[in-house]
Amino acid sequence: MTYPTVTVRSLLAVGALALSLTALAVFAALCPAAPFVPTGPTVSFTEYVQPASAASPPFAAILFVPVTWLPVATLKAVVVVGNVLLLALLVRLSWRFAAHRHAPTPVPTPAPVPTPVRFSLPSVPVPVLSWVPVLLCVAVALWLEPVLRTVLFGEIGLALTCVVLWDLTRPDHALGKGFALGVVAGVELAPALFIAYLLLAGRPDAVRAGLTALGSLIGTMLLGALVLPGASLDFWTLRVFETGRAGEGWTTDNQSLQGLFARALHTTEPGVGWAVACVVITFAGLWLARRAVVRKGLETWGILVTALTALLVSPVSWSHHWVWCVPLLAVLLAEGRWRTAAAVALVFAARTFRLVPHEGGAELRLPWWQQPLASPYALLGLVLLAYVAYRCHAPRTRTATRRRRATAVAGQLSASNSSASTIR
């Protein structure tokens, strides 16, 4: 039996992760923020009242009933440790997702036959991120604000993102592709936009996955109606249309278009302007995602554009919902855009919306120069949509140059991983 050799890099990676986790524990002790735990009466299938502030369908309550069986202290530990492990999984999934279209491709023939673009595993080996870089990435990513907030408050964003990313990046012919996406949409409504993305992708396999996701979403609704008929009727006929049910949408914690408009207009009800902007961004985002896939073959950006669109148009996108920053950074790094990745990482680590006045309704009285600080994620999402639109209309020569650069980066990473494995 052979055992992995301890190297300087592995020791540094373990030390960095240990230091990061220690700092996290100290931070949590100095700024206590208990993870979410069920409060009030124990959830039961026969006596369940849909809270007025509930933002998730009743199926979510059914799914999370088992967490009420654990003691509070045990539940907190499980949630924190589980989120750290989910972050490591998300790092690996994000790199695999980012590397799909950046592996070396064969030289095209003089007269290639047009074929439909498919999101499937490439025929050449994809660079695999070894466990040493994973530990380093986890140690750094823990301090991105969306990730840190998810870990400290026991949110489920990392779990949902892992499931969605895993399902969407499966080969088109994979059995049951789309089923997990539909289940996630039954827990949180925002990922349902990925179903529209699959249905509009224009490929038979993608449409089949979209129909599968739609079927599983309807299945979660039927299960909720069967187990909790009263709560389901109340949610799907009333609560789902109440955009303010999840909380005060004008606070700086809300990094969606609604929060941006409310703070910029100094009103708790942004009204028609916000509604029109959401409709425009929804259609523009789906069109741009389809164009990125069909015209440029950028499946990674097609999925990222859909995620950004869902975060922007959702009535409330709390800062911890933006854990899609991890796949976003992975794609930028895989494309060799180091400065852009550093700028994006700085936005998600700076916590500028915590620096502006945010108590007692002060968010509604911010001057114009503090507005960008109060809405960094929403503004970054809009900038990224504009960036992808530019790439979709960029000259083919420039796009080809970028692809060659990305291919070279992927080749170097692959060679580095192979040499590291040989040394070990």
Side-chain angles (χ1 to χ4, degrees):
M1 180 181 295
T2 59
Y3 298 92
T5 304
V6 177
T7 63
V8 176
R9 287 201 312 166
S10 61
L11 290 176
L12 290 176
V14 173
L17 181 59
L19 180 62
S20 183
L21 292 175
T22 302
L24 177 64
V26 173
F27 179 81
L30 295 178
C31 304
F36 169 80
V37 292
T39 57
T42 303
V43 177
S44 68
F45 289 153
T46 56
E47 299 179 359
Y48 175 82
V49 178
Q50 181 77 22
S53 61
S56 299
F59 172 75
I62 300 173
L63 192 64
F64 288 102
V65 161
V67 303
T68 64
W69 303 339
L70 298 176
V72 173
T74 303
L75 180 58
K76 288 182 179 181
V78 169
V79 166
V80 172
V81 174
N83 269 328
V84 173
L85 295 176
L86 284 170
L87 177 59
L89 175 61
L90 182 59
V91 168
R92 290 193 66 90
L93 288 173
S94 298
W95 183 251
R96 189 170 182 269
F97 164 68
H100 274 168
R101 286 298 176 182
H102 303 297
T105 54
V107 178
T109 58
V113 178
T115 56
V117 178
R118 294 177 177 273
F119 193 99
S120 57
L121 293 175
S123 57
V124 294
V126 175
V128 178
L129 201 61
S130 63
W131 68 273
V132 173
V134 167
L135 295 183
L136 291 174
C137 290
V138 170
V140 175
L142 269 173
W143 296 97
L144 298 174
E145 192 275 337
V147 176
L148 180 62
R149 191 175 179 88
T150 298
V151 173
L152 289 181
F153 285 84
E155 300 292 344
I156 61 173
L158 287 170
L160 299 183
T161 305
C162 284
V163 174
V164 172
L165 199 60
W166 168 79
D167 201 11
L168 288 176
T169 55
R170 298 170 66 199
D172 284 333
H173 60 273
L175 180 64
K177 179 177 180 177
F179 180 83
L181 172 61
V183 173
V184 168
V187 177
E188 292 285 349
L189 296 180
L193 195 65
F194 285 105
I195 300 177
Y197 162 74
L198 291 174
L199 294 176
L200 296 175
R203 295 177 282 114
D205 292 333
V207 173
R208 182 167 57 250
L211 292 175
T212 302
L214 182 61
S216 61
L217 171 60
I218 294 175
T220 64
M221 297 169 61
L222 294 176
L223 179 60
L226 179 65
V227 179
L228 301 170
S232 296
L233 180 63
D234 179 61
F235 180 85
W236 293 110
T237 58
L238 296 176
R239 306 298 180 192
V240 72
F241 301 108
E242 297 175 358
T243 58
R245 68 188 185 279
E248 298 171 334
W250 43 266
T251 63
T252 54
D253 285 331
N254 181 20
Q255 291 295 307
S256 69
L257 285 179
Q258 183 187 28
L260 187 152
F261 270 69
R263 292 185 291 271
L265 299 176
H266 308 290
T267 176
T268 58
E269 298 293 338
V272 178
W274 163 66
V276 172
C278 284
V279 172
V280 172
I281 292 296
T282 299
F283 282 98
L286 290 174
W287 173 82
L288 185 59
R290 185 181 187 279
R291 190 175 181 83
V293 174
V294 174
R295 179 170 179 175
K296 296 294 185 178
L298 300 173
E299 292 89 348
T300 51
W301 282 105
I303 291 176
L304 288 177
V305 164
T306 306
L308 292 172
T309 302
L311 290 168
L312 287 171
V313 302
S314 177
V316 174
S317 290
W318 302 125
S319 62
H320 58 80
H321 292 165
W322 288 78
V323 289
W324 278 92
C325 62
V326 177
L328 171 62
L329 289 171
V331 170
L332 291 174
L333 291 175
E335 291 182 345
R337 304 175 191 273
W338 305 98
R339 286 179 293 184
T340 304
V344 171
L346 180 62
V347 170
F348 284 109
R351 297 165 174 78
T352 58
F353 60 90
R354 292 291 182 184
L355 302 178
V356 300
H358 56 275
E359 294 181 358
E363 299 97 325
L364 298 177
R365 300 186 296 271
L366 296 176
W368 65 268
W369 61 272
Q370 289 184 341
Q371 295 294 336
L373 299 177
S375 307
Y377 301 170
L379 293 175
L380 177 63
L382 293 174
V383 169
L384 288 172
L385 292 183
Y387 162 73
V388 177
Y390 169 77
R391 284 189 66 177
C392 289
H393 291 83
R396 294 183 179 274
T397 54
R398 184 175 300 178
T399 302
T401 302
R402 288 288 190 181
R403 287 183 177 177
R404 286 196 297 270
R405 185 179 301 176
T407 299
V409 171
Q412 293 173 3
L413 290 170
S414 179
S416 175
N417 286 334
S418 300
S419 60
S421 300
T422 302
I423 293 175
R424 288 194 294 268

